Amino acid sequence: MLHIDIETRSDVDLTKLGVHRYTESPGFSVLLIAFAYDDGSVKIIDLAQGEELPESLLRDLIDPRVPKVAFNAQFERVCLDRHLGLKTGPWLCSMVRANALGLRGSLESIGLALNLSPDEQKIKTGKNLIRLFSLHRQPSSKNGYKTIYEPKDRPFEWEMFKDYCCRDVEAERAIFHKLSDFPLPPKEQKFYALDQKINDRGVCIDLDLAISATKINDELYQHYEEDFYDLTGIDTPSRLSLFKDWIKKVTGEEVMSITKSNLPILREQFKDYPNVVQALDIRELLSRTSVKKYEAMETLAGKDCRARGLFRFYGASTGRWSGKGIQPQNLPQNHLSDLDTARALIRQQDLESVEMLYDDPADVLSQLIRTAIIPSKGKKFLIADFSAIEARVIAWLAGETWRLDVFNSHGKIYEASASHMFGVPIEQITKGSDLRQKGKIAELALGYGGGVGALRQMGALDMGLDNQELQPLVNSWRLSNPKIVQLWYDAKTMAMNCLSSGRPQKLNDYISCRYDKSILFIRLPNGREIAYPKAQLRPHQKFEGRTEITYQELVRGDWSVKGTYGGRLVENIVQATARDCLAEKMLALDSKGYDIVMHVHDEVVIEVDPDGAEQQLQYVLGAMSEPLAWAPGLPLNADGFICDYYQKD
């Protein structure tokens, strides 16, 4: 096993643009490579001063029989692949291992959390050394008008830098050994390899659209500020103290805060002052951040117009991916019926026509963000997603028979839920009916133990429901789904019994848990486990006389105590299982030669040739709907479509 750490330099900001853009720059180079085999001594190669890579090390870097290990292995892999012009691997990532156990943070913070010995911990002066040798600087008389320091410029510090690189290998290796009792399952290693393949492939960006949208947004921003000045005499609504003073002058009422969350309240409060409402509207328009994703797309796109490294493996403790860069999991939805027209107008930077055709040009820009992600030239997007995957998984785990019957037949869970709750024949519940609306909001909000608060948070009041309807809706849903409700209580009982006795417990044929080294592990249907570190039972912080389950998460170096309950445990189990379903299907599709460029929660995006695209769509949908060996009886189904740019159907 080959443990590796490297030090590099580039004129591209790694923290903002990611490792793929960092290594693409002509200013990129590898300065130092420190390595050790198994528990052997650490050696270092000083590439910056002319030392060459030993043939034996080069051979082992590309030998698939020799596992390479690093903390955040993606960085070492991408950098070494670029430097060598070869594909290295396979790679094991000790950071991913730590993340899977609820440990998140830097090499230093995770090392401290695992109580590494002082000799194994990261050298804390490393940041200063990185600034000295790896980061470009503004030339000045103080630094001898240098944009970067070379080893010969600071020989003493350079030797410290080499020691720092070697110590990182020792720290990473110590973390790897500390976590050796909890290795990633072999299937998870395959998922990680696929994740890296997808991140390396990247996705194309329509730079013409992104650049034009940014210019249109700047023009809109200027117009809005001019309108705001005409109303208030203030140059920008970001000057909150002046804005508050103006509101008091106009209305006689004092405003304590102006935030996105309280803007609806303020609009209602000052509805008799149209100019104040208009000024608040302008502030909201100017505070929209989603259009900044266009700027992120521009900077992240490489020379081939592809943005890479957009997904973080094990971004959540459940194993779900999270996003980086343009954050694909957090893109605004599109509801425009004429996306082609809107895209053409933005590409032409025709703001006048946009304002003529649409009530809210800023909203148009927001809705078009997805469409700036496009397939390669001569290709199409095949977009496929699971149908109601979480609702299917929870029904299967709970054994809620009537729901499984719905998913095995027509699949209309909102209508069926309303029918079940209110005793109305499903045929009478149409798409626009109030009952379907109630069924939908109940399904979205109540599956994990949520109550009235969950309904409000999900937008029940905005959907036309009254406050007095909410609790009866909760009661109706729970009465209609007794086995799911029981699953919440059973999950809590399982975890509490495990923590109190220290012995493994079983929830059903698919879910069990164990307690090992202060970690509560919940085993999922496919054999993978999700971890709750430092789990324990303690007196409930809110309800006297009750006991609650707590665990801790390491986030940016600090332990944070979290309380949990049956519904939340079920939510974690369901989302983790849904993630495993998608990962399994992506691995199968990749093995058949499908080029996956993106995936978002329950959705996969594939580049395909236009010829035969519909046939390929049918194959993909069929593959995603096939039963999984480890989930007998789980009714999977998928929908999809072919398109010329990323969008919601």
Side-chain angles (χ1 to χ4, degrees):
M1 196 164 286
L2 181 56
H3 297 267
I4 301 175
D5 185 78
I6 64 176
E7 301 301 334
T8 62
R9 78 163 50 135
S10 176
D11 53 355
V12 168
D13 190 330
L14 175 65
T15 60
K16 292 181 179 178
L17 300 185
V19 66
H20 293 86
R21 285 279 286 107
Y22 179 84
T23 58
E24 188 180 70
S25 169
F28 164 75
S29 62
V30 178
L31 304 174
L32 300 169
I33 301 178
F35 66 99
Y37 287 94
D38 297 321
D39 293 325
S41 60
V42 179
K43 300 177 182 179
I44 192 160
I45 304 164
D46 190 341
L47 296 175
Q49 296 202 92
E51 293 183 10
E52 295 185 358
L53 213 64
E55 284 294 326
S56 59
L57 178 61
L58 177 60
R59 185 171 57 249
D60 289 340
L61 282 170
I62 61 177
D63 189 339
R65 297 169 298 179
V66 180
K68 271 65 69 175
V69 190
F71 186 89
N72 188 15
Q74 182 184 52
F75 179 77
E76 270 72 17
R77 180 186 61 79
V78 174
C79 287
L80 288 173
D81 285 2
R82 175 74 66 171
H83 174 77
L84 299 171
L86 299 167
K87 289 289 184 183
T88 59
W91 286 86
L92 306 178
C93 183
S94 49
M95 183 182 77
V96 167
R97 249 186 214 196
N99 290 170
L101 293 173
L103 306 175
R104 302 185 179 280
S106 64
L107 179 64
E108 179 183 357
S109 63
I110 290 177
L112 290 170
L114 293 174
N115 298 315
L116 299 187
S117 69
D119 290 340
E120 294 172 323
Q121 290 180 13
K122 187 179 180 77
I123 296 175
K124 294 183 179 180
T125 57
K127 290 181 180 178
N128 293 331
L129 296 169
I130 288 172
R131 280 194 289 268
L132 198 63
F133 296 111
S134 296
L135 303 182
H136 283 248
R137 65 190 66 240
Q138 289 293 327
S140 67
S141 58
K142 186 177 180 180
N143 60 32
Y145 298 100
K146 293 180 179 294
T147 57
I148 198 78
Y149 283 112
E150 299 294 342
K152 60 182 174 54
D153 299 322
R154 306 290 286 267
F156 177 75
E157 288 87 349
W158 182 255
E159 291 303 313
M160 292 177 62
F161 200 34
K162 291 164 70 173
D163 290 342
Y164 165 76
C165 187
C166 291
R167 179 69 69 83
D168 273 4
V169 172
E170 293 169 347
E172 175 279 318
R173 182 168 60 183
I175 288 173
F176 190 80
H177 288 332
K178 280 270 189 179
L179 303 179
S180 60
D181 289 342
F182 311 111
L184 286 179
K187 182 60 71 69
E188 286 298 304
Q189 281 298 146
K190 292 182 179 179
F191 293 160
Y192 174 69
L194 175 59
D195 164 81
Q196 297 296 286
K197 185 177 181 179
I198 294 169
N199 272 311
D200 287 353
R201 179 178 290 131
V203 67
C204 276
I205 301 298
D206 186 337
L207 285 178
D208 288 340
L209 179 63
I211 292 169
S212 296
T214 301
K215 290 179 179 178
I216 287 280
N217 184 63
D218 291 343
E219 193 174 345
L220 269 177
Y221 199 98
Q222 183 179 346
H223 288 179
Y224 291 145
E225 284 200 328
E226 289 171 356
D227 291 342
F228 189 79
Y229 180 80
D230 291 341
L231 276 170
T232 66
I234 305 168
D235 55 356
T236 174
S238 62
R239 303 181 68 176
L240 285 179
S241 60
L242 293 179
F243 191 12
K244 292 175 186 177
D245 290 343
W246 176 80
I247 292 175
K248 184 176 182 180
K249 181 179 178 181
V250 173
T251 67
E253 297 184 45
E254 188 168 352
V255 174
M256 300 306 296
S257 67
I258 305 174
T259 64
K260 182 179 180 180
S261 60
N262 75 352
L263 280 175
I265 299 172
L266 293 176
R267 287 194 189 96
E268 179 64 24
Q269 181 180 347
F270 299 121
K271 61 184 178 183
D272 294 331
Y273 299 92
N275 54 344
V276 173
V277 173
Q278 187 178 353
L280 291 169
D281 289 343
I282 293 173
R283 171 168 169 77
E284 182 175 31
L285 289 168
L286 289 172
S287 65
R288 288 184 179 173
T289 57
S290 59
V291 290
K292 291 188 178 297
K293 289 184 182 288
Y294 287 117
E295 296 177 6
M297 289 175 176
E298 291 178 51
T299 55
L300 286 169
K303 294 176 182 176
D304 58 358
C305 298
R306 298 185 83 88
R308 295 178 169 85
L310 301 181
F311 303 96
R312 187 187 302 278
F313 190 71
Y314 251 99
S317 58
T318 57
R320 294 175 83 178
W321 279 267
S322 61
K324 298 188 290 182
I326 62 175
Q327 300 288 342
Q329 282 88 346
N330 189 29
L331 297 177
Q333 291 195 6
N334 55 268
H335 303 287
L336 293 173
S337 59
D338 53 349
L339 286 171
D340 286 343
T341 300
R343 292 180 87 250
L345 293 175
I346 296 300
R347 288 169 69 91
Q348 295 163 14
Q349 300 180 32
D350 188 353
L351 178 56
E352 183 178 351
S353 295
V354 173
E355 290 180 317
M356 185 184 306
L357 292 174
Y358 304 99
D359 294 332
D360 187 349
D363 183 58
V364 172
L365 288 175
S366 180
Q367 291 198 48
L368 291 183
I369 288 173
R370 285 176 183 264
T371 74
I373 299 172
I374 58 174
S376 301
K377 187 175 181 180
K379 300 281 188 178
K380 295 271 190 180
F381 272 160
L382 186 165
I383 300 179
D385 69 316
F386 284 124
S387 303
I389 183 64
E390 289 188 32
R392 291 167 183 265
V393 169
I394 196 171
W396 172 69
L397 288 173
E400 200 70 78
T401 308
W402 73 265
R403 298 173 70 91
L404 293 173
D405 290 342
V406 169
F407 291 126
N408 281 314
S409 54
H410 55 75
K412 296 180 179 179
I413 189 61
Y414 299 155
E415 291 86 346
S417 184
S419 173
H420 215 263
M421 289 163 63
F422 304 114
V424 177
I426 192 170
E427 296 79 13
Q428 296 181 19
I429 302 174
T430 58
K431 189 160 187 177
S433 69
D434 290 342
L435 286 182
R436 185 185 185 277
Q437 196 80 330
K438 290 178 180 180
K440 179 178 180 179
I441 194 68
E443 285 297 314
L444 295 174
L446 304 180
Y448 302 126
V452 169
L455 286 170
R456 288 199 187 105
Q457 190 172 4
M458 193 61 68
L461 300 180
D462 295 333
M463 295 173 72
L465 275 72
D466 295 325
N467 267 308
Q468 58 266 28
E469 294 182 273
L470 301 186
Q471 188 59 53
L473 189 59
V474 173
N475 298 340
S476 296
W477 191 90
R478 292 184 178 184
L479 285 171
S480 296
N481 296 276
K483 291 186 177 180
I484 290 178
V485 173
Q486 189 61 47
L487 186 66
W488 307 336
Y489 295 114
D490 290 347
K492 179 181 178 181
T493 300
M494 175 190 71
M496 294 183 75
N497 288 344
C498 184
L499 291 173
S500 60
S501 70
R503 294 191 297 270
Q505 302 291 320
K506 189 174 181 180
L507 176 63
N508 54 32
D509 291 340
Y510 307 110
I511 306 296
S512 59
C513 70
R514 64 186 179 95
Y515 189 58
D516 187 8
K517 296 183 179 179
S518 298
I519 303 174
L520 175 68
F521 291 98
I522 294 183
R523 184 180 177 89
L524 301 169
N526 71 342
R528 182 171 71 92
E529 294 178 317
I530 48 179
Y532 300 84
K534 298 191 176 183
Q536 62 177 345
L537 299 176
R538 72 175 188 186
H540 205 291
Q541 300 297 296
K542 292 183 179 179
F543 304 105
E544 189 175 350
R546 295 189 190 179
T547 301
E548 71 173 335
I549 303 165
T550 65
Y551 64 99
Q552 297 187 36
E553 284 185 336
L554 183 69
V555 181
R556 291 184 291 275
D558 294 321
W559 285 103
S560 173
V561 178
K562 306 279 187 179
T564 192
Y565 52 91
R568 179 60 55 79
L569 292 174
V570 169
E571 180 179 23
N572 294 162
I573 292 167
V574 169
Q575 291 184 347
T577 303
R579 172 269 193 193
D580 292 343
C581 292
L582 182 67
E584 196 84 51
K585 296 301 184 180
M586 288 200 302
L587 195 64
L589 291 171
D590 177 75
S591 71
K592 294 295 184 181
Y594 284 92
D595 291 337
I596 301 170
V597 294
M598 282 177 50
H599 52 92
V600 180
H601 297 320
D602 58 355
E603 175 187 76
V604 62
V605 183
I606 302 170
E607 284 186 347
V608 295
D609 292 322
D611 294 339
E614 289 297 335
Q615 292 91 325
Q616 293 184 74
L617 174 62
Q618 294 311 310
Y619 175 84
V620 169
L621 296 181
M624 291 180 68
S625 301
E626 288 178 0
L628 291 162
W630 47 263
L634 172 60
L636 295 176
N637 191 38
D639 292 319
F641 57 99
I642 303 294
C643 57
D644 293 319
Y645 42 75
Y646 186 47
Q647 59 183 282
K648 280 291 182 184
D649 192 18

